Each structure stands twice: as C-alpha cells, then as structure tokens.
Amino acid sequence: MGSSPLSDRFVAQRRALIGTMQERGIRDLEVLRAFDFVSRHDFVPDAVSHRAYEDAPVPIGFGQTASQPSLQALYMQLLQLKRSDKVLEVGTGSGFQTAVLAHLVDRVYSIERIRELAVRARQTLERLRISNVAILVGDGTIGWSRYSPYDAILVAAGGPEIPEPLIAQLALGGRMLIPVGSREMQRLMLVKRTEQGIQYEEVLDCTFVPLLGRFGWDESGTIQS
C-alpha cells in the first residue's frame, strides 16, 4: 500500500520528523515505520506542503487542521494497536492519520462531517492504493454502528463529554482516546472496556478543534442536548 518513503523529495524532512517524534517519547517501532512510510505532503494542500514535515498542526481548509504528528503517533502508541485490529477514526480530516492507521491495523472505518474533506481524503487514499479503509460522511459522535464493535477508537476533536454511542461501540478489551473539556482546552482521556466495566484514565492536556455533532458541540458553541 502507498508509495515508498524513498520515492519523493521530502525524504530528509520526513526522517527529521521521525527523529523529533522519538525525542518526544515515541518508542513503538511499528508506529515510527508507518509514519516514515506515509508521505504527509500527499495529504495537505499544496500551499502548505512545505510545512508537511513540521511537528505541528497544519491547516487543511474549512477551519480544520491536520494534527501534530507526534500527538497522532502518541495516540497510536497508547492504543497498542495490533495488525488484527478493527479501528474507528472520528475525524478523517486530511486522511493522513487514516493512511498511517491503514499500515498498522486490519481495517479502518473513518467518519468525516465535512464532505469536501472526506472526498479529498478518499481520492488521495485511492491514488496511493490504500484499500483497507472505508470513509463515511456523517456525525462522528454517533459512531458507525454497522461495523462495531471496534478494537480501538480514535477521536481527533475535543468534545464536552465522551459520547455514549462511542463507548457502546467498543469491543471487550477495546480502547478509545478522546479529548474532553472546553472548546479551548481538553484532557486526553483513555477509555477501556474491560470485563469489570468501563475504565477511564487522564493522559495529558491538549487542544483540538471542537467535536461537533449530536453528542458534542453545536455550531454556536453550546453543548447539544
């Protein structure tokens, strides 16, 4: 799947990014290899392609950003992903994280509420021949129950609370990472479904774009009821 990391002019920049990610605590070799393999510049607008390998958020249009790579990698490291996993991604965005996940797990189901971003991401994934991904245009806060339960759920936007439908779609032994808090600042929460019930763990402070939808914020900035 995808193109070789040696086939483009950004090799040195990508390798420098991998080094930065290691300095920031990313130790999972499978995660690092996946980030090295997937070309981030393929997924960002041409106007910001020169910033593709900064360890920083990059604007992708429609008020959205492609998240900081080291934070995306931390998500994947904390979730302890396995090749056999089925993963739900809430917030396709540029499709870059989707592509990295596709190299790590068996199947990725991704939801994006902005149709134009979903179309662009799907076209890029198809061009790179990444075929173990399905993208849905819709409300990520209600999940994608058709293919549940999921071994892992990644939520790439911050909500006021953890949506109950996403908890319900976790498999036994499943893990979810989601930012929870105000629109300006959140805590990254690790949620696990165990035989004893649902467990919650606070990981770190973070700032993501707002999670909009039925079980998130509405467009005006208030909590949906």
Side-chain angles (χ1 to χ4, degrees):
M1 293 180 298
S3 58
S4 165
L6 301 177
S7 65
D8 63 75
R9 68 187 189 278
F10 291 101
V11 173
Q13 293 95 319
R14 183 160 56 249
R15 294 292 161 77
L17 174 60
I18 297 301
T20 299
M21 291 164 60
Q22 290 175 303
E23 292 171 1
R24 295 184 174 176
I26 306 304
R27 298 287 180 262
D28 188 315
L29 292 179
E30 290 299 316
V31 171
L32 290 168
R33 288 191 189 102
F35 273 84
D36 190 33
F37 195 90
V38 179
S39 300
R40 194 176 188 226
H41 66 269
D42 284 326
F43 292 89
V44 300
D46 290 341
V48 293
S49 63
H50 64 286
R51 296 185 53 200
Y53 298 100
E54 296 178 6
D55 190 29
V58 175
I60 56 173
F62 306 96
Q64 304 299 300
T65 60
S67 296
Q68 181 179 354
S70 62
L71 183 55
Q72 293 175 318
L74 178 63
Y75 259 56
M76 298 176 200
Q77 181 167 278
L78 288 170
L79 288 171
Q80 300 179 324
L81 299 172
K82 301 185 294 293
R83 291 286 181 183
S84 59
D85 280 350
K86 179 171 57 174
V87 173
L88 175 67
E89 177 189 38
V90 176
T92 312
S94 70
F96 172 71
Q97 178 174 264
T98 317
V100 175
L101 286 169
H103 284 276
L104 292 169
V105 304
D106 181 60
R107 190 73 181 169
V108 182
Y109 295 91
S110 189
I111 308 174
E112 173 56 55
R113 69 181 185 86
I114 300 173
R115 180 175 297 277
E116 292 86 349
L117 287 179
V119 170
R120 185 193 303 167
R122 185 182 290 116
Q123 290 173 342
T124 304
L125 292 165
E126 289 177 352
R127 177 166 54 84
L128 296 176
R129 299 181 181 179
I130 297 173
S131 58
N132 59 331
V133 170
I135 296 177
L136 173 71
V137 177
D139 181 353
T141 70
I142 64 176
W144 198 346
S145 60
R146 178 178 179 182
Y147 298 105
S148 66
Y150 298 98
D151 301 297
I153 299 177
L154 297 81
V155 183
E161 56 190 20
I162 302 173
E164 286 296 330
L166 298 184
I167 296 175
Q169 291 173 34
L170 271 180
L172 183 62
R175 299 83 62 202
M176 171 167 57
L177 279 167
I178 177 171
V180 180
S182 68
R183 288 174 71 99
E184 293 76 29
M185 177 64 70
Q186 304 95 35
R187 290 286 289 174
L188 185 60
M189 301 293 298
L190 176 61
V191 184
K192 297 179 180 179
R193 179 180 293 280
T194 71
E195 292 182 351
Q196 291 72 41
I198 304 297
Q199 298 179 351
Y200 304 89
E201 177 185 341
E202 294 186 0
V203 179
L204 50 77
D205 291 326
C206 56
T207 303
F208 281 79
V209 296
L211 178 64
L212 303 182
R214 179 178 174 187
F215 294 92
W217 303 99
D218 67 16
E219 296 283 357
S220 68
T222 59
I223 300 173
Q224 294 274 50
S225 58

